[in-house]
Amino acid sequence: MAQRYVRIQAPDQRIFYGLLHLDRTVQVLDAPPWLHGQPMDLTFPETDYQLLAPCAPSKIVAVGKNYAKHAAEMGGVLPPEPLLFLKPTTTIIPHCGSILYPPQSDRVDYEGELALVMGDRAVDCSLAEAETKIWGYTIANDVTARDLQQKDGQWTRAKGFDTFCPIGPWIVREISPDAQVTTLLNETNVQSASVSEMVFSPAALVSYISHIMTLLPGDVILTGTPEGVGPMQVGDRVRVSIEGIGFLENTVHKRISPE
């Protein structure tokens, strides 16, 4: 099994990056792994840590309509260049965290996808350079208030609610170019596609984005979702799986606004 890099919170509230072993113990690193963190003489058993999202990016850059069949199901044509938007970092929740259904929306969709984690500063990268800037891979769910996306004509509100970006549960260094992305809503398979079906490859996305904004170590890029997006309801459980990584599972709960 590939090494799994995690981010955890200890009982005293300190946050660490670490290596997850098969027995679920975590060996702590002295820095984030993409900043050359080295193993320390400190481990936590499974009962003594909380699993967090595996990174704390300065920004989340997301890509729309990067699978041809998904572009078709959304009633649009493939964009000639990557279609970018940003999600605030306050959308991030970990594996097993709760997706909160906001009262402003009547339709909240799942969007399972592959996420890239940057390992180095990237500015104006060639395609070959961009490949070397990707440190690892994890799983994301680009949760979207679909009705608000259509109403607003732009995507900030629809994509930006707190809890709308589950990420995790860990990062691996490599995946197969044909890795399968699968989403289960409760027990029903609703999305299934190979990452090789992307219109713009991970390296192409990094190169393109780096000519617009500086990407920093630990930043996250969501690479787009396959066809099969659809609504979730309060109480639903959504599981996004990617071959070579594992699965990210979250449950939908009602968001209650303070009075």
Side-chain angles (χ1 to χ4, degrees), residues 52-230:
L52 305 176
C55 56
S58 75
K59 54 188 167 296
I60 305 162
V61 187
V63 181
K65 300 181 180 179
N66 198 29
Y67 288 80
K69 291 179 181 178
H70 171 60
E73 78 175 344
M74 299 305 291
V77 297
L78 284 174
E81 298 178 297
L83 179 60
L84 304 182
F85 58 94
L86 296 172
K87 290 176 79 83
T89 56
T90 47
T91 59
I92 293 175
I93 58 171
H95 173 64
C96 292
S98 296
I99 298 169
L100 300 182
Y101 201 118
Q104 297 95 324
S105 177
D106 292 320
R107 175 170 170 169
V108 174
D109 285 10
Y110 55 82
E111 292 191 10
E113 46 198 272
L114 174 69
L116 315 178
V117 180
M118 300 301 298
D120 195 8
R121 188 172 184 269
V123 182
D124 294 338
C125 291
S126 68
L127 197 61
E129 290 172 328
E131 190 78 53
T132 70
K133 303 293 185 178
I134 301 171
W135 191 88
Y137 304 87
T138 188
I139 306 170
N141 185 351
D142 177 21
V143 180
T144 305
R146 192 70 67 200
D147 55 340
L148 301 183
Q149 183 183 33
Q150 294 167 350
K151 177 182 178 181
D152 292 351
Q154 53 87 21
W155 300 1
T156 301
R157 180 165 65 139
K159 301 281 191 176
F161 284 98
D162 290 356
T163 76
F164 269 29
C165 192
I167 299 178
W170 42 68
I171 301 166
V172 300
R173 295 301 311 273
E174 296 180 351
I175 62 167
S176 165
D178 298 314
Q180 198 77 10
V181 180
T182 304
T183 304
L184 297 181
L185 183 64
N186 300 316
E187 302 302 323
T188 302
N189 188 329
V190 289
Q191 289 184 292
S192 185
S194 167
V195 297
S196 64
E197 297 176 46
M198 289 182 189
V199 177
F200 302 102
S201 71
L205 294 175
V206 171
S207 176
Y208 181 83
I209 295 166
S210 77
H211 283 80
I212 301 165
M213 66 189 79
T214 299
L215 292 166
L216 300 175
D219 280 352
V220 169
I221 298 173
L222 309 187
T223 60
T225 195
E227 70 170 328
V229 299

